Amino acid sequence: MAVSHRRSTGWYPVARAAEVGTTPVPVGAGGRAYVVVRLRPGAEVTAFPARCPHRLVPLAAGSVVDGRLQCGYHGWRFDAEGRCVGIPSLGDAGTPPPRADLSVPWAVEERHGWVWLAPERTAAPAPPRPSADTVPEPVPAAPAPAGPVFGNLDPSLDHAWHPVALSRELRPGGWLQVRLLGRTWTLRRTADGVEGDPPAFGVRERFGIVWLAPAEPIDVPLDLPEATDRHYVPGWLPPLRSPGPAGPMADNFLDVAHFAHVHGATFGAEDRPEVPVYDVVPEPGGFRSTHEQWCENPTDPEVARGGRPLRQRRRAGYVYRAPFSFRVSLEYLDSGATTTILFLLQPEDADSTRIYTCLFLSAGHGQPLPLPAAVAEEVAFHRRVLEEDLRLMGVIASEGLPLDVREELHVPADRLGVALRRALCDFATARRARTAS
Ligand code: FES
Ligand SMILES: [Fe+2]
């Protein structure tokens, strides 16, 4: 994992010993970011680098489980020496690759009421006695990816259609100011449609959304068969906002290995974190992928009646179009019901992304359409799911999605995420090629 290459010899006081328990504490030593934690109540203090090698998520958001530090996103576990001893998506028989190990500091000592770190081998055998004015150094920012990241202000994003409002937010004769790619547009609904000011390449409406393309678009629009299929009933979630760029949010939406760890309170099957091998099929402008997942299905009415188990299998069919349009069809194999989730991201500013989510619900062929109360229940449930993801986005605190796949450590469960990084790379490259020609 990338860390500061500044030499940091010597002992650094990083925290009062009494303040370090079994919750990871972010600290700094010699300009490097770490977390310190006790892997059991009353045990000696252990130190780890600040970020998980998998998707660079801060380990300060992790927790101690069975004497190991467990990352909060996908549950990778690290022992006191920094060895990665468990990757749940690999299943019980899976072996973590050596690159998953963390490089821990040379030494950690608890002396004179302080926790001391020596990031590198040091000549002094023990920490010095602290003085009255000893203070820990400020916690540095955790190391960012060394290579390029795809953020919300990437120039290629000018060349795509972006969702900028729900159609119903723009009343006849009304106007609305929206943020996109760090700029402000005023939308006006006129007798002829919707106009944008300053002028854009185009403004249009599709799927109940107002879309704006700042410059000639090169993206391939997402199709949505459910929007015109009479077997489906739509239900919009209120638009929400993520305090970060769209790339990591998109990555999260396509991530199939975090359900057990992030969504245990809603649908994640906590005891079935393994992800079977699946394929990703490239398509113009994006890709698709289908595989089966274990989940909990508390909104299935037959579960409350005892007619079906809470734990169910579902077939998830993902379709992605660059840069930030997706749908996933969740087909519940026991009931035949299907929920398709349309998920669209508006890259507003470097640190702000607006999220549009619409559900299309079908109770299955031969079944009556879902009633309004059932739609409302499903919308409320998916809002809780989305809020679980947004809490995670708040702690990831990244500036964008690393485009060099060597920056992170991908495992087989991450094929969709790798495909996303490649698709965004291709998107940015296609735009540069178009501009150069
Ligand atoms: S387990 Fe840490 S980011 Fe995935
Ligand atoms: Fe999620």
Side-chain angles (χ1 to χ4, degrees), residues 37 39 44-49 67-69 77-85 98 100-106 108:
V37 65
L39 295 178
E44 61 189 19
V45 176
T46 307
F48 300 91
R68 311 281 163 79
L69 179 62
R77 290 188 185 184
F78 304 93
D79 71 10
E81 280 76 47
R83 269 193 307 269
C84 182
V85 292
D101 294 347
L102 297 169
S103 80
V104 296
W106 181 67
V108 186

PDB file of all heavy atoms in Angstrom, residues 37 39 44-49 67-69 77-85 98 100-106 108:
ATOM      1  N   VAL A  37      -5.097   0.567  17.946  1.00  0.00           N
ATOM      2  CA  VAL A  37      -6.271  -0.119  18.477  1.00  0.00           C
ATOM      3  C   VAL A  37      -5.802  -1.283  19.344  1.00  0.00           C
ATOM      4  O   VAL A  37      -4.682  -1.778  19.175  1.00  0.00           O
ATOM      5  CB  VAL A  37      -7.144  -0.628  17.298  1.00  0.00           C
ATOM      6  CG1 VAL A  37      -6.446  -1.694  16.471  1.00  0.00           C
ATOM      7  CG2 VAL A  37      -8.516  -1.103  17.757  1.00  0.00           C
ATOM      8  N   LEU A  39      -6.664  -5.112  20.076  1.00  0.00           N
ATOM      9  CA  LEU A  39      -7.434  -6.149  19.379  1.00  0.00           C
ATOM     10  C   LEU A  39      -8.261  -7.014  20.335  1.00  0.00           C
ATOM     11  O   LEU A  39      -9.062  -7.834  19.884  1.00  0.00           O
ATOM     12  CB  LEU A  39      -6.511  -7.015  18.517  1.00  0.00           C
ATOM     13  CG  LEU A  39      -5.858  -6.233  17.352  1.00  0.00           C
ATOM     14  CD1 LEU A  39      -4.916  -7.124  16.544  1.00  0.00           C
ATOM     15  CD2 LEU A  39      -6.913  -5.628  16.427  1.00  0.00           C
ATOM     16  N   GLU A  44      -2.369  -5.402  24.414  1.00  0.00           N
ATOM     17  CA  GLU A  44      -1.408  -4.371  24.005  1.00  0.00           C
ATOM     18  C   GLU A  44      -1.936  -3.644  22.760  1.00  0.00           C
ATOM     19  O   GLU A  44      -2.785  -4.160  22.022  1.00  0.00           O
ATOM     20  CB  GLU A  44      -0.052  -5.002  23.709  1.00  0.00           C
ATOM     21  CG  GLU A  44      -0.092  -6.013  22.601  1.00  0.00           C
ATOM     22  CD  GLU A  44       1.224  -6.797  22.473  1.00  0.00           C
ATOM     23  OE1 GLU A  44       2.002  -6.812  23.438  1.00  0.00           O
ATOM     24  OE2 GLU A  44       1.436  -7.378  21.401  1.00  0.00           O
ATOM     25  N   VAL A  45      -1.368  -2.450  22.542  1.00  0.00           N
ATOM     26  CA  VAL A  45      -1.827  -1.639  21.415  1.00  0.00           C
ATOM     27  C   VAL A  45      -1.152  -2.125  20.127  1.00  0.00           C
ATOM     28  O   VAL A  45       0.030  -2.461  20.122  1.00  0.00           O
ATOM     29  CB  VAL A  45      -1.516  -0.149  21.665  1.00  0.00           C
ATOM     30  CG1 VAL A  45      -1.898   0.687  20.442  1.00  0.00           C
ATOM     31  CG2 VAL A  45      -2.246   0.349  22.909  1.00  0.00           C
ATOM     32  N   THR A  46      -1.917  -2.146  19.052  1.00  0.00           N
ATOM     33  CA  THR A  46      -1.419  -2.521  17.724  1.00  0.00           C
ATOM     34  C   THR A  46      -1.615  -1.335  16.795  1.00  0.00           C
ATOM     35  O   THR A  46      -2.569  -0.563  16.972  1.00  0.00           O
ATOM     36  CB  THR A  46      -2.223  -3.731  17.190  1.00  0.00           C
ATOM     37  OG1 THR A  46      -2.182  -4.757  18.169  1.00  0.00           O
ATOM     38  CG2 THR A  46      -1.647  -4.255  15.899  1.00  0.00           C
ATOM     39  N   ALA A  47      -0.748  -1.188  15.824  1.00  0.00           N
ATOM     40  CA  ALA A  47      -0.869  -0.078  14.863  1.00  0.00           C
ATOM     41  C   ALA A  47      -0.923  -0.625  13.450  1.00  0.00           C
ATOM     42  O   ALA A  47      -0.254  -1.614  13.118  1.00  0.00           O
ATOM     43  CB  ALA A  47       0.312   0.881  15.015  1.00  0.00           C
ATOM     44  N   PHE A  48      -1.741   0.022  12.632  1.00  0.00           N
ATOM     45  CA  PHE A  48      -1.906  -0.348  11.221  1.00  0.00           C
ATOM     46  C   PHE A  48      -1.830   0.916  10.366  1.00  0.00           C
ATOM     47  O   PHE A  48      -2.159   2.001  10.843  1.00  0.00           O
ATOM     48  CB  PHE A  48      -3.289  -0.985  10.991  1.00  0.00           C
ATOM     49  CG  PHE A  48      -3.542  -2.233  11.791  1.00  0.00           C
ATOM     50  CD1 PHE A  48      -4.134  -2.161  13.050  1.00  0.00           C
ATOM     51  CD2 PHE A  48      -3.192  -3.468  11.289  1.00  0.00           C
ATOM     52  CE1 PHE A  48      -4.373  -3.306  13.781  1.00  0.00           C
ATOM     53  CE2 PHE A  48      -3.426  -4.626  12.013  1.00  0.00           C
ATOM     54  CZ  PHE A  48      -4.021  -4.541  13.268  1.00  0.00           C
ATOM     55  N   PRO A  49      -1.464   0.775   9.091  1.00  0.00           N
ATOM     56  CA  PRO A  49      -1.587   1.929   8.195  1.00  0.00           C
ATOM     57  C   PRO A  49      -3.046   2.381   8.145  1.00  0.00           C
ATOM     58  O   PRO A  49      -3.961   1.620   8.459  1.00  0.00           O
ATOM     59  CB  PRO A  49      -1.145   1.389   6.839  1.00  0.00           C
ATOM     60  CG  PRO A  49      -0.444   0.118   7.118  1.00  0.00           C
ATOM     61  CD  PRO A  49      -0.977  -0.420   8.401  1.00  0.00           C
ATOM     62  N   GLY A  67     -10.428 -10.561  17.743  1.00  0.00           N
ATOM     63  CA  GLY A  67      -8.995 -10.299  17.849  1.00  0.00           C
ATOM     64  C   GLY A  67      -8.331  -9.853  16.566  1.00  0.00           C
ATOM     65  O   GLY A  67      -7.106  -9.866  16.455  1.00  0.00           O
ATOM     66  N   ARG A  68      -9.122  -9.469  15.575  1.00  0.00           N
ATOM     67  CA  ARG A  68      -8.579  -8.970  14.307  1.00  0.00           C
ATOM     68  C   ARG A  68      -9.194  -7.609  14.020  1.00  0.00           C
ATOM     69  O   ARG A  68     -10.301  -7.321  14.480  1.00  0.00           O
ATOM     70  CB  ARG A  68      -8.925  -9.923  13.146  1.00  0.00           C
ATOM     71  CG  ARG A  68      -8.613 -11.389  13.445  1.00  0.00           C
ATOM     72  CD  ARG A  68      -7.125 -11.642  13.272  1.00  0.00           C
ATOM     73  NE  ARG A  68      -6.661 -12.860  13.893  1.00  0.00           N
ATOM     74  CZ  ARG A  68      -6.804 -14.083  13.402  1.00  0.00           C
ATOM     75  NH1 ARG A  68      -7.451 -14.273  12.280  1.00  0.00           N
ATOM     76  NH2 ARG A  68      -6.279 -15.119  14.011  1.00  0.00           N
ATOM     77  N   LEU A  69      -8.499  -6.807  13.216  1.00  0.00           N
ATOM     78  CA  LEU A  69      -9.094  -5.550  12.758  1.00  0.00           C
ATOM     79  C   LEU A  69      -9.830  -5.836  11.454  1.00  0.00           C
ATOM     80  O   LEU A  69      -9.234  -6.356  10.494  1.00  0.00           O
ATOM     81  CB  LEU A  69      -8.017  -4.481  12.540  1.00  0.00           C
ATOM     82  CG  LEU A  69      -8.551  -3.134  12.035  1.00  0.00           C
ATOM     83  CD1 LEU A  69      -9.519  -2.508  13.047  1.00  0.00           C
ATOM     84  CD2 LEU A  69      -7.394  -2.166  11.761  1.00  0.00           C
ATOM     85  N   ARG A  77      -9.935  -8.933   7.031  1.00  0.00           N
ATOM     86  CA  ARG A  77      -9.457  -8.954   8.420  1.00  0.00           C
ATOM     87  C   ARG A  77      -7.935  -9.013   8.470  1.00  0.00           C
ATOM     88  O   ARG A  77      -7.316  -9.726   7.680  1.00  0.00           O
ATOM     89  CB  ARG A  77     -10.028 -10.158   9.163  1.00  0.00           C
ATOM     90  CG  ARG A  77     -11.509 -10.023   9.409  1.00  0.00           C
ATOM     91  CD  ARG A  77     -11.986 -11.134  10.302  1.00  0.00           C
ATOM     92  NE  ARG A  77     -13.428 -11.066  10.449  1.00  0.00           N
ATOM     93  CZ  ARG A  77     -14.133 -11.854  11.228  1.00  0.00           C
ATOM     94  NH1 ARG A  77     -13.512 -12.770  11.962  1.00  0.00           N
ATOM     95  NH2 ARG A  77     -15.439 -11.747  11.311  1.00  0.00           N
ATOM     96  N   PHE A  78      -7.380  -8.302   9.445  1.00  0.00           N
ATOM     97  CA  PHE A  78      -5.926  -8.191   9.588  1.00  0.00           C
ATOM     98  C   PHE A  78      -5.544  -8.556  11.016  1.00  0.00           C
ATOM     99  O   PHE A  78      -6.177  -8.105  11.975  1.00  0.00           O
ATOM    100  CB  PHE A  78      -5.477  -6.758   9.269  1.00  0.00           C
ATOM    101  CG  PHE A  78      -5.911  -6.315   7.895  1.00  0.00           C
ATOM    102  CD1 PHE A  78      -7.112  -5.624   7.721  1.00  0.00           C
ATOM    103  CD2 PHE A  78      -5.146  -6.617   6.775  1.00  0.00           C
ATOM    104  CE1 PHE A  78      -7.533  -5.245   6.452  1.00  0.00           C
ATOM    105  CE2 PHE A  78      -5.567  -6.242   5.502  1.00  0.00           C
ATOM    106  CZ  PHE A  78      -6.760  -5.552   5.341  1.00  0.00           C
ATOM    107  N   ASP A  79      -4.456  -9.363  11.137  1.00  0.00           N
ATOM    108  CA  ASP A  79      -4.001  -9.710  12.486  1.00  0.00           C
ATOM    109  C   ASP A  79      -2.997  -8.674  12.980  1.00  0.00           C
ATOM    110  O   ASP A  79      -2.714  -7.675  12.287  1.00  0.00           O
ATOM    111  CB  ASP A  79      -3.438 -11.148  12.518  1.00  0.00           C
ATOM    112  CG  ASP A  79      -2.098 -11.283  11.787  1.00  0.00           C
ATOM    113  OD1 ASP A  79      -1.496 -10.247  11.406  1.00  0.00           O
ATOM    114  OD2 ASP A  79      -1.652 -12.429  11.598  1.00  0.00           O
ATOM    115  N   ALA A  80      -2.461  -8.903  14.174  1.00  0.00           N
ATOM    116  CA  ALA A  80      -1.620  -7.889  14.820  1.00  0.00           C
ATOM    117  C   ALA A  80      -0.354  -7.589  14.025  1.00  0.00           C
ATOM    118  O   ALA A  80       0.243  -6.525  14.166  1.00  0.00           O
ATOM    119  CB  ALA A  80      -1.250  -8.349  16.234  1.00  0.00           C
ATOM    120  N   GLU A  81       0.085  -8.528  13.197  1.00  0.00           N
ATOM    121  CA  GLU A  81       1.283  -8.286  12.359  1.00  0.00           C
ATOM    122  C   GLU A  81       0.929  -7.631  11.034  1.00  0.00           C
ATOM    123  O   GLU A  81       1.808  -7.413  10.191  1.00  0.00           O
ATOM    124  CB  GLU A  81       2.018  -9.604  12.073  1.00  0.00           C
ATOM    125  CG  GLU A  81       2.902 -10.078  13.224  1.00  0.00           C
ATOM    126  CD  GLU A  81       2.089 -10.668  14.341  1.00  0.00           C
ATOM    127  OE1 GLU A  81       1.207 -11.483  14.043  1.00  0.00           O
ATOM    128  OE2 GLU A  81       2.292 -10.282  15.503  1.00  0.00           O
ATOM    129  N   GLY A  82      -0.353  -7.356  10.822  1.00  0.00           N
ATOM    130  CA  GLY A  82      -0.778  -6.732   9.571  1.00  0.00           C
ATOM    131  C   GLY A  82      -1.120  -7.746   8.491  1.00  0.00           C
ATOM    132  O   GLY A  82      -1.505  -7.355   7.383  1.00  0.00           O
ATOM    133  N   ARG A  83      -0.977  -9.048   8.809  1.00  0.00           N
ATOM    134  CA  ARG A  83      -1.305 -10.053   7.787  1.00  0.00           C
ATOM    135  C   ARG A  83      -2.799 -10.075   7.507  1.00  0.00           C
ATOM    136  O   ARG A  83      -3.600 -10.072   8.447  1.00  0.00           O
ATOM    137  CB  ARG A  83      -0.863 -11.452   8.246  1.00  0.00           C
ATOM    138  CG  ARG A  83       0.530 -11.836   7.816  1.00  0.00           C
ATOM    139  CD  ARG A  83       0.764 -13.328   8.040  1.00  0.00           C
ATOM    140  NE  ARG A  83       0.443 -13.692   9.433  1.00  0.00           N
ATOM    141  CZ  ARG A  83       1.336 -13.685  10.413  1.00  0.00           C
ATOM    142  NH1 ARG A  83       2.589 -13.354  10.175  1.00  0.00           N
ATOM    143  NH2 ARG A  83       0.978 -14.020  11.637  1.00  0.00           N
ATOM    144  N   CYS A  84      -3.155 -10.098   6.244  1.00  0.00           N
ATOM    145  CA  CYS A  84      -4.566 -10.241   5.899  1.00  0.00           C
ATOM    146  C   CYS A  84      -4.922 -11.715   6.081  1.00  0.00           C
ATOM    147  O   CYS A  84      -4.379 -12.588   5.391  1.00  0.00           O
ATOM    148  CB  CYS A  84      -4.835  -9.790   4.462  1.00  0.00           C
ATOM    149  SG  CYS A  84      -6.584  -9.917   4.036  1.00  0.00           S
ATOM    150  N   VAL A  85      -5.820 -11.985   7.016  1.00  0.00           N
ATOM    151  CA  VAL A  85      -6.132 -13.388   7.351  1.00  0.00           C
ATOM    152  C   VAL A  85      -7.536 -13.779   6.902  1.00  0.00           C
ATOM    153  O   VAL A  85      -7.975 -14.889   7.149  1.00  0.00           O
ATOM    154  CB  VAL A  85      -5.972 -13.639   8.867  1.00  0.00           C
ATOM    155  CG1 VAL A  85      -4.511 -13.533   9.263  1.00  0.00           C
ATOM    156  CG2 VAL A  85      -6.815 -12.649   9.676  1.00  0.00           C
ATOM    157  N   PRO A  98      -0.701 -12.259  -0.979  1.00  0.00           N
ATOM    158  CA  PRO A  98       0.284 -11.591  -0.104  1.00  0.00           C
ATOM    159  C   PRO A  98       0.184 -10.068  -0.157  1.00  0.00           C
ATOM    160  O   PRO A  98       0.434  -9.389   0.837  1.00  0.00           O
ATOM    161  CB  PRO A  98       1.628 -12.071  -0.657  1.00  0.00           C
ATOM    162  CG  PRO A  98       1.312 -13.339  -1.381  1.00  0.00           C
ATOM    163  CD  PRO A  98      -0.086 -13.223  -1.890  1.00  0.00           C
ATOM    164  N   ALA A 100      -2.234  -8.315   0.031  1.00  0.00           N
ATOM    165  CA  ALA A 100      -3.281  -7.804   0.928  1.00  0.00           C
ATOM    166  C   ALA A 100      -2.726  -7.481   2.312  1.00  0.00           C
ATOM    167  O   ALA A 100      -3.399  -6.839   3.119  1.00  0.00           O
ATOM    168  CB  ALA A 100      -4.409  -8.819   1.041  1.00  0.00           C
ATOM    169  N   ASP A 101      -1.491  -7.940   2.603  1.00  0.00           N
ATOM    170  CA  ASP A 101      -0.922  -7.664   3.931  1.00  0.00           C
ATOM    171  C   ASP A 101      -0.597  -6.183   4.087  1.00  0.00           C
ATOM    172  O   ASP A 101      -0.197  -5.516   3.122  1.00  0.00           O
ATOM    173  CB  ASP A 101       0.351  -8.490   4.138  1.00  0.00           C
ATOM    174  CG  ASP A 101       0.064  -9.986   4.194  1.00  0.00           C
ATOM    175  OD1 ASP A 101      -1.117 -10.354   4.328  1.00  0.00           O
ATOM    176  OD2 ASP A 101       1.029 -10.769   4.088  1.00  0.00           O
ATOM    177  N   LEU A 102      -0.738  -5.704   5.306  1.00  0.00           N
ATOM    178  CA  LEU A 102      -0.430  -4.299   5.611  1.00  0.00           C
ATOM    179  C   LEU A 102       0.990  -4.202   6.111  1.00  0.00           C
ATOM    180  O   LEU A 102       1.454  -5.082   6.849  1.00  0.00           O
ATOM    181  CB  LEU A 102      -1.374  -3.785   6.702  1.00  0.00           C
ATOM    182  CG  LEU A 102      -2.860  -3.765   6.357  1.00  0.00           C
ATOM    183  CD1 LEU A 102      -3.671  -3.484   7.611  1.00  0.00           C
ATOM    184  CD2 LEU A 102      -3.123  -2.698   5.313  1.00  0.00           C
ATOM    185  N   SER A 103       1.668  -3.109   5.768  1.00  0.00           N
ATOM    186  CA  SER A 103       2.993  -2.956   6.355  1.00  0.00           C
ATOM    187  C   SER A 103       2.860  -2.084   7.603  1.00  0.00           C
ATOM    188  O   SER A 103       2.566  -0.899   7.536  1.00  0.00           O
ATOM    189  CB  SER A 103       3.985  -2.442   5.330  1.00  0.00           C
ATOM    190  OG  SER A 103       3.917  -1.158   5.122  1.00  0.00           O
ATOM    191  N   VAL A 104       3.012  -2.776   8.737  1.00  0.00           N
ATOM    192  CA  VAL A 104       2.818  -2.121  10.030  1.00  0.00           C
ATOM    193  C   VAL A 104       4.115  -1.402  10.437  1.00  0.00           C
ATOM    194  O   VAL A 104       5.185  -1.692   9.896  1.00  0.00           O
ATOM    195  CB  VAL A 104       2.418  -3.152  11.112  1.00  0.00           C
ATOM    196  CG1 VAL A 104       1.063  -3.777  10.770  1.00  0.00           C
ATOM    197  CG2 VAL A 104       3.466  -4.234  11.264  1.00  0.00           C
ATOM    198  N   PRO A 105       4.017  -0.472  11.386  1.00  0.00           N
ATOM    199  CA  PRO A 105       5.249   0.217  11.816  1.00  0.00           C
ATOM    200  C   PRO A 105       6.212  -0.743  12.497  1.00  0.00           C
ATOM    201  O   PRO A 105       5.831  -1.824  12.943  1.00  0.00           O
ATOM    202  CB  PRO A 105       4.725   1.284  12.778  1.00  0.00           C
ATOM    203  CG  PRO A 105       3.374   0.847  13.173  1.00  0.00           C
ATOM    204  CD  PRO A 105       2.820   0.012  12.058  1.00  0.00           C
ATOM    205  N   TRP A 106       7.458  -0.306  12.544  1.00  0.00           N
ATOM    206  CA  TRP A 106       8.501  -1.179  13.098  1.00  0.00           C
ATOM    207  C   TRP A 106       8.188  -1.560  14.557  1.00  0.00           C
ATOM    208  O   TRP A 106       8.397  -2.694  14.966  1.00  0.00           O
ATOM    209  CB  TRP A 106       9.843  -0.444  13.010  1.00  0.00           C
ATOM    210  CG  TRP A 106      10.993  -1.234  13.529  1.00  0.00           C
ATOM    211  CD1 TRP A 106      11.516  -2.371  12.986  1.00  0.00           C
ATOM    212  CD2 TRP A 106      11.750  -0.957  14.704  1.00  0.00           C
ATOM    213  NE1 TRP A 106      12.554  -2.820  13.743  1.00  0.00           N
ATOM    214  CE2 TRP A 106      12.733  -1.968  14.806  1.00  0.00           C
ATOM    215  CE3 TRP A 106      11.720   0.049  15.664  1.00  0.00           C
ATOM    216  CZ2 TRP A 106      13.657  -2.007  15.836  1.00  0.00           C
ATOM    217  CZ3 TRP A 106      12.647   0.018  16.703  1.00  0.00           C
ATOM    218  CH2 TRP A 106      13.596  -1.001  16.779  1.00  0.00           C
ATOM    219  N   VAL A 108       5.606  -0.599  18.260  1.00  0.00           N
ATOM    220  CA  VAL A 108       4.574   0.130  19.011  1.00  0.00           C
ATOM    221  C   VAL A 108       4.852  -0.157  20.487  1.00  0.00           C
ATOM    222  O   VAL A 108       5.053  -1.309  20.860  1.00  0.00           O
ATOM    223  CB  VAL A 108       3.156  -0.381  18.671  1.00  0.00           C
ATOM    224  CG1 VAL A 108       2.108   0.492  19.356  1.00  0.00           C
ATOM    225  CG2 VAL A 108       2.934  -0.432  17.176  1.00  0.00           C
TER     226      VAL A 108
END
